[in-house]
Amino acid sequence: MSTRRTYLVVAGVVVLAWGEWLNRRWSRALVERGEGGSEAVVVLGYRNPRPTANVVNRWRVRAGLRSVSGEGTRVIFSGGAAGGGATEARLMADHAKSVLGFTGEVLLEEESRTTWENIANVIPLLEDAGRIKIVSQPAHALKARAYLRRQRPDLAARLVRADDHRPGEWLLVKPLLALCGLWTLRRISER
């Protein structure tokens, strides 16, 4: 292998490792140890103008369901309508039930259009939860946890880690997600 190819391979590995590391770090930020009986898993929607859940929302549903720790966990799908069709929340709930066979408790929040609204609108559904997990891509979930800290610090103290990061999952896309996440999180810190 030529020296140039070696450098490209090494650079590629470094970029992939950086994306993996940053997404893992975000997945573990602003969470507590989480002790308490009941659990709520909040799955944030992504723009979905089609009549079925898109690839991002399907992944978020899978990550949300694998974050469920046991019976009695309520899963809250959050997201309004994009493009006038069904809401993101309903599309994700339908996917969880009909495709993935989830039979647990499901609640829908179907009004929000932004991450700030997602959090504001699910707060009434979180009041009695001992542990709260927010599921999305790690940077987006971190943004939502930061918003919960601003809106309701008492509830933010109940935040625990969701299973939204697994090594190697979305590996080739993680560097791009990391760049987008840095941009998004920079804007939050400015506020």
Side-chain angles (χ1 to χ4, degrees):
M1 190 181 308
S2 72
T3 304
R4 183 172 182 211
R5 258 193 217 147
T6 302
Y7 286 135
L8 289 175
V9 169
V10 169
V13 169
V14 167
V15 167
L16 292 175
W18 171 77
E20 188 74 48
W21 170 78
L22 199 50
N23 278 276
R24 181 182 188 278
R25 185 173 160 218
W26 287 332
S27 177
R28 289 160 169 74
L30 298 182
V31 295
E32 306 294 332
R33 294 191 63 156
E35 299 177 17
S38 62
E39 178 178 85
V41 175
V42 179
V43 182
L44 304 176
Y46 178 75
R47 287 182 293 275
N48 201 132
R50 296 183 299 158
T52 59
N54 63 29
V55 67
V56 174
N57 284 329
R58 289 193 309 265
W59 177 84
R60 289 181 184 186
V61 170
R62 285 192 311 276
L65 297 185
R66 71 183 183 214
S67 297
V68 171
S69 295
E71 287 187 37
T73 298
R74 80 186 76 128
V75 178
I76 304 164
F77 294 106
S78 178
T87 64
E88 296 162 2
R90 182 151 316 277
L91 293 173
M92 290 188 297
D94 290 347
H95 183 74
K97 291 176 182 178
S98 64
V99 176
L100 301 178
F102 184 68
T103 58
E105 181 181 1
V106 170
L107 301 174
L108 302 180
E109 181 288 300
E110 301 181 276
E111 300 300 317
S112 60
R113 296 200 177 274
T114 65
T115 306
W116 183 267
E117 290 176 2
N118 286 129
I119 296 306
N121 293 340
V122 299
I123 284 175
L125 306 174
L126 302 175
E127 294 286 351
D128 63 340
R131 291 181 318 279
I132 301 167
K133 297 176 180 178
I134 298 177
V135 177
S136 186
Q137 274 68 25
H140 187 230
L142 175 56
K143 177 181 177 180
R145 290 191 299 269
Y147 286 171
L148 184 60
R149 281 183 177 265
R150 289 185 182 164
Q151 294 179 31
R152 286 290 300 274
D154 59 316
L155 292 178
R158 302 179 203 169
L159 284 167
V160 296
R161 186 184 173 290
D163 193 0
D164 58 358
H165 174 268
R166 288 194 171 172
E169 187 175 56
W170 290 75
L171 180 65
L172 298 177
V173 182
K174 280 182 180 170
L176 180 58
L177 292 172
L179 287 172
C180 293
L182 287 171
W183 177 256
T184 298
L185 295 173
R186 179 191 63 81
R187 292 191 323 219
I188 289 174
S189 63
E190 288 174 355
R191 292 183 205 146

